[in-house]
Every structure is written in structure tokens, then in C-alpha cells.
Amino acid sequence: MDRRGFIRSGIGSMAGLGLGETILLTPNAAGALNYRPLADGARRKVKNDYRTARRTTSVCLNCSTVCGIEAFVQDNKVIKIRGNPLDPNMGSYMTCAKGQSGPTINDYPERLLYPLKRAGARGAGLWQRISWEQAYNEVAERIKASIASGHPERVALHQGRSRIDAEINRFLSAIGTPVQLNHRALCSSNKRAANYVSLGETDWESIDAERCRYFLNFGANFYEAHQGGLHLVSRVVKARFDHGAKLVTFDVRLSNTAGRSDEWHQPFPGTDGAVALAMAHVIVRENEIDHEFIANFVQPGLATIRDWLAPCTPAWAAGLSGIAARDIERLALEFARKRPAVAAFTNRGAGAHYNGFNAERAVIMLNALVGSIARPGGYCYGLEEKLSISRYPQPLPLPPASKIRTDLEDPPEWPLANRWQKMKVGQVVYDYLRQGRAKLDVYLSYTLASPMTWPEGRSTTVEVLLDEKLIPFHACSDVVYSEMAHYADLILPDASYLERWGMDIRNNMELQHFVTLRQPVVTPPGEARSFADVLFEIGRRLAPEQAKYFQFGSHEDFVRVQCSKLPATGPDGRQFKDGFEYMKHYGVYVDRSQPKPYDVFQKPLSAQQLDGSRVDAASGVIYRTGDKGKESAIGLSAGGKAVRGFATPSRKFEVHAPEVALVAGTLGIADDGMPTFAQVPWHRDLPKDRFILTTFKWNVHTQGRTASQKYLSEIVHDNPMWINAATAKKLGLKNGDLVELTTYRPRSGAASQPAQQAYRGTGEKIGSAQLRVFVTRGIHPRVVAVSNSLGWISGGRAAEGRSGRRVEVAAHGIAPDAAKAFGPAPEPDDLNAGVWWDKKNGGRGNGVNINALLPINPQPLVGMQAWFDTVCSLRKV
């Protein structure tokens, strides 16, 4: 029988797929079996000998915290992962559940193994195995055509959590395109923008948590899903144990963080900013402030701030938030009287609202009023948190950055999105393509599951991905056959984070600069390859003027150069050939040569810095003319001293941001530049039969990365809808009842900027889903909550919630038993019958993709997605 007469079916068939053969990959393709311990009933033991296992340091990437790890390998299999105690954030061998799941990724039975080219209609799932050489050439030829046509900007790279920004930037700059799209507006851009506006130089604070005496937490769930949460938790616990630090949490839901707090308060959604302003009112009214810091380093000054805060009384905030005025007053004074070792901080709970940018600013301002900015135990910053070329060089020559701009990567409706860094407005990308706001020739996606994780992902996103006029060519790099890969023209099998190189950096809870090395601990299966190496190989196949930027070699060679300025002598005195070998051994470099950045704004300017400078008499800002003849602010005259100040235009902490007011005015938005509170327009006068839907993450999942890992989905695979007990009683609902949840598009209102009317409406229906209810007192009565990261229709049996055989073979008109022509099936794996949550086995299934029901809803100016403002209704089924 001719093997090439068959179309193989199912991801498990890929292992034996020959070059040029065809495979059918469709969502939910696995056939269900009745549950039993193992497919053949046998019991197996894996003999792991940790004494003889090879230890290699690397960096986890199952979430954005990117912890340093040690992997233990036996027979090219990762048998154990633990923390790298040299990582200053870790400080121990501890890792979370996601880190512990790492060994399951590399030999995951549903990995993509070979480059695949679409062999049928886009989205039909029919693929042909091709060689890497063919894959490289096909992508390169299309890119060369875009460059030759004078439109390099029609090449776009859309990334999820990549951690290879330097490599991606090099590739795109060589082409001449600026279109590097990301997911930051769906994640944290309001928080980052608020820090930049206030402090001028950082996108993420580093709370000096171990020395803190009072934590005011507005919506951060760091016990589960906060960036750096594991490391923050350990230090908060130590602060509470060692010196009785208090933790107060504001959240609409009893998260694990709220449940472990000394006090939990439930504000009405989107009113965190009002609560923070009322606290500021009390602190200023009672004079519990740091007068010296405000006088020297806060703009616009105490008198203006006092007048502005006058209407923001606790009673005013109580009417909006539902939190008692006496509690607002009490907590504000408790916080202020513990100064300066206090920290008020946020995360998506406060920021992922239509008014989230100013809510974030209002919370940060509390730290300025009490003088905890950059103080021991306070709200610290000032660490280098990027892989700067000066410190981590790259192979020469370096390609120049593109000077082209497009609406796709820099939408004018949100002028603050890219003001400080490339935060983009990713949720509008597909709609902009549909509108004709931009054109693409080549669309490269990397670790991105936008049909699953984007608002309107199963409608707007999929419609555009299917349209070959809007996206003529889509090459997708991923580890598994994801919902993104299903709509590609070319699939490039990626190496997992335990199979590739890379440098990584994060803010340090110990307030010292550090960098980590990701290195392969095992070889990838099949022909899977690191996406960075794929980009470099494509780059070498472009025209000579682009190819010259990729002659340095492999990704390993790239990283070797990045390490060239690091020391060769280890902390234990051990000598290495160079910084690269140092990093391969230790996995981490911590720069202990600099003091902790306490009072960094008061750092004196040197005589050399002051040479040729001038001081503006009105503002105290110190200016100096640079080598290119351009004058720029370098510091501030404060208290008779020339100091660094903040990196804002005024060189002060900016409560008032003139730049924000100016930019808002150009769009016709009334904004005074202060972090003023405005209620989410469509939350005003909310009808009694309407609720506000919020979403959240469990500590074992990230949005698009973990559901395919069986041991994590085994822990959390279903997402019932949380509802308040009193509300459930009124609706006649009890625990486990089935409800139909329906979501609605935001209504247009006077507060909406004109450019955003495309994402407003008259409250029309978006979609519906049926969910089981979880009745609890741990949620606000006007809120319902559904966790995200679940409800996959493609991504492997664990993600799909389906037991079944990994290998299924179908033939055109040939009986299924013809499969024997391909030899014996692989040995059964624990997904064969071990997905006990499969509905066909009596389980609860794999949940609902709640993001599909949420509207595209960018916040003004910055453009962050307002995830937590969606109005919904409920109907008992």
C-alpha cells in the first residue's frame, strides 16, 4: 500500500509524517475513551536518579515572572525543576506550580515537530510537511517582495510573551518595518503609563516589601497572578511576621490575596481611583504628609493639590464605591502614620478599566504625599530593567531603526500608547486591518493565541485571520497546534523555553540590577527550532543589504556577545573563560557594585554634568546642551542643591501632568492633567437586572501558555461563574445551577472620545454562554466573575478536555484498520484516558472562553483594554 495515498489525521500522526506527506489537524479531533488509570491498565514507574542527573541553569517562561531555575536532566528528559537560589528574587529552590510543570512541556505528546505548509483552505486544517529550507525561503521571498515594492511596513510581527525583544527588533529593523505588535494593552499598559507619567523612568515599581510596614493593595492578586507575585508574597509574609506589617486589599472578589489580607474591601467596579483620592484628601487635610518631599519634589505643589482634593471627601467616595467613609478615613490615616515605610500599589484590578489610567496615577500619588517614593520599605524604582545595548552589546553591525509609522503599530487615537515604550493597542489590530487602516503582505505570529485571548477573539479576530485579502500570508511559530496555528499558511514548530537561548531581566525585589541566562537544557523534539534562530535564518536569505545583519551565526552566538561585558570571575572566586561561560554555570549575574536606589531622586549632579548647564529660575529645572546642540533637562535645583530629580519634564514627581492635558486636548478630550476620577460611563445608573462581569487568573494558568500542560489543567480546567449569595437568592439560583450569561457592548456617552465611537454602541448584545454558578459571599453583589485561560477548542487533549488516542489515521475511502500500514502506534500516554474531566467521562469539561464574550474596549489616551467593565445579564437555564 502506498503511504502517500493517505492523509494522516491527528497531531499524534506527526511523529511518523514523511517529507511531502499530508496531515489533517482539526480542533477537538481526539476520540473519547472510557476513563481508566492507563490506556492499557498497566502501572509504570519511571526510575529517576537525581544523583546522576545533569544539572543546568535556565529561566522559566510559564508566566511573566521569569524565575531563574535549575533543571535536572536524565536521558535528554527533564525530570525535575527547582528554583535557582542565585536569582535574587528567588533566593531559594522554591518554584510555583507552573514552574514545576516545566518537565511536562518538552516531551509533550502533542508537540509540533516539523514545518507545515497549508494544503487546503485556510482554517481547514490540511497541512503538508515541508523542509526548513523551503520554509525559510518562502518567508524570505515574501519579505523581499514587500521591501522591493517600497512597503517594508507591510511586514508585521505579532508576539505574545516572547522575551526575545532584542532579537525581534533586530530582524524588523533590518527589514525596515516598525510593525512589532504585542499584547501589552491587553495586560498592563495603564500601570506602566501611570508610572512613566508620575516618575518618568520606569514601567514597573519594585516595592521594598520586606521592610514595608503597611501595604495598600488596589486590585493586585500577587498571591496568584501578579508579575513577580511569588517573590512579592515571600517578602510580604516576612514583613508581616517580622514587624507586623498590615495588608489591606481592595478587590471586587475574594481572591487568594484578599483572603490572606488583614482587611478586604469590595469597591464597586472601577471606583478604586475615587477611594484613592478620598484617602489623599484625608492625608492632606490631617497634614499627615511629607512636607519636605512635597515642597521640593512634587508638582504642582501642596496648595494646588489641597484645593483640587477638597471635593474628594470620604463621603463622596463612599457614595461611588460602597466602602464606608469611616473605613476610608481610618485606613488613610493608618497608612500615612506608618510613613515612609509604606506602599500603595496596583495591578489589573484597578488598571483594567476605562478610567484605569487615572486610577493608577491616584494610587501612586498616595506614596508621594507620604514621602515613601524610593525610601526603605516604600515604593521604589531606579533599577535598570532592560537589556541596554551599552551593557549587553549585540553583534555588529546594528541595523538602523525604522522611521516609518503606521496606524497599525502607532494608532493616533491613543497617542500615549507608545509615548514611553512600545505598548501598542493590540486589541484593535484585526479591526484596523478590516477597516483598511493598514495593509499587510506578511504576518508573522509568535506564541500568540489571539483567537483565544483577545476580546472578540472568536469573531473579529478569526474573521480577519481567515480573510486572505486582509492577511495574504501568515506564518505562525508555536509549540503546539494552537488556535492561532490553525489559521496560518505556514507553521514553524518552536522550541520550548527549556530548549533555547536568551537573556532575561526583571525588576529585583532586592533592589539590585541582575540578569539571567536562558539556555537549552534538552534538545527539541523532531525539527522544532528556536524562533530567534528561525528569524536569523530568514534574515540571511534576504537581500545582501539586510542579510549583513545576520552573519554572526546562531542565537547562541548572539547571546555570547550579549554576555561579553559580564565578569569572568564567579562570586565564589571561580574563574571562567568569559562572561558567557560564567552565565552558563551560575545562570544569574547580580550587580552588587551599586548601592540600592533609595532616594535616587536626590542623587547629586557632578561638576562634569553641571558644566555648561543653566537653571530655569521659575521651575528650578537644570538644562544642559548636548553634543548635537539640543538642550535637555538633566536635573533639579532642590533645597539649594543640584540633584537628579525625577525623569519627568518638570524633574519632579508629577501629580499634574501638563503633557497629558495637552495630548488629551488635541483629541477633544476634557482632561485637566490631574488623576481626576470619572466613573465608567455605562456603569452609571446600572439597571437592576444588569451586572458587571470581571475575569481573573488562577495561579496555575497564564492566558495562552499553560492549558496544554496536563498537570496544570488537571488542577484547574473548569470556570464556573462566581455570584454573590444574596444576588443568587434573588434570582432563584443555587450552587451548580446552569445560567446563560449574555454580554453587551458599551453604550456611547459624553465621556467617550470621538475616535473611540467605533467601539461603542447602544448596548447591543455581543454573545452568550452557559455556565454553572458558584454561589459565594466572596464577591460584590453587582459583580459576576469568570476565570480566563480556559475553553480551548484547539491546543491538545488537556486544553480541550478530551481523553482519546493520540494517533488516528484516516484514508480516502480506506477503512480505518488500514492504519497498520504505518506500523505500530506509539506507546499510550497519560492523556489517552487520563483526562478525567472530559464530559464524556462524566467530568465538567474544559470550561468557557470568556474573552470571546468581551468587547474590544480601549481606554482613552493609553489604549489599555477595559477588561472589567462589561455589562451582562443572567438567565437561569
Side-chain angles (χ1 to χ4, degrees), residues 156-172 178-187 422-424 426 429-430 443-450 453-454 474-477 484 500 531 535 705:
L157 194 151
H158 205 168
Q159 67 189 65
R161 188 166 290 125
S162 77
R163 314 306 298 170
I164 51 169
D165 271 355
E167 294 87 331
I168 288 173
N169 282 326
R170 185 185 194 93
F171 179 76
L172 296 178
V179 190
Q180 179 185 359
L181 307 170
N182 60 31
H183 69 293
R184 189 148 285 168
L186 286 86
C187 183
K422 292 181 177 180
M423 292 195 280
K424 313 298 184 185
V429 164
Y430 300 107
Y443 177 71
L444 306 174
S445 64
Y446 175 52
T447 63
L448 185 78
S450 51
T453 59
W454 249 236
H474 173 197
C476 172
S477 176
M484 196 70 177
R500 67 174 177 87
F531 186 57
L535 292 181
R705 193 171 291 264

Side-chain angles (χ1 to χ4, degrees), residues 726-791:
T727 305
K729 186 176 181 180
K730 290 178 183 177
L731 296 175
L733 295 172
K734 63 181 183 298
N735 212 47
D737 281 350
L738 194 64
V739 299
E740 182 180 74
L741 180 147
T742 300
T743 57
Y744 302 91
R745 193 169 297 283
R747 295 179 179 273
S748 297
S752 301
Q753 68 182 85
Q756 288 195 326
Q757 293 304 317
Y759 303 109
R760 301 288 172 266
T762 57
E764 61 268 23
K765 175 181 173 180
I766 296 174
S768 299
Q770 293 188 357
L771 302 100
R772 299 286 176 185
V773 299
F774 169 64
V775 179
T776 174
R777 289 185 294 171
I779 193 167
H780 192 283
R782 299 307 304 275
V783 176
V784 295
V786 181
S787 67
N788 55 35
S789 309
L790 302 176

Side-chain angles (χ1 to χ4, degrees), residues 618-642:
S619 65
V621 177
I622 302 172
Y623 294 92
R624 189 169 184 267
T625 302
D627 296 336
K628 297 182 179 180
K630 183 179 179 180
E631 188 178 65
S632 60
I634 62 167
L636 182 71
S637 178
K641 299 178 181 178

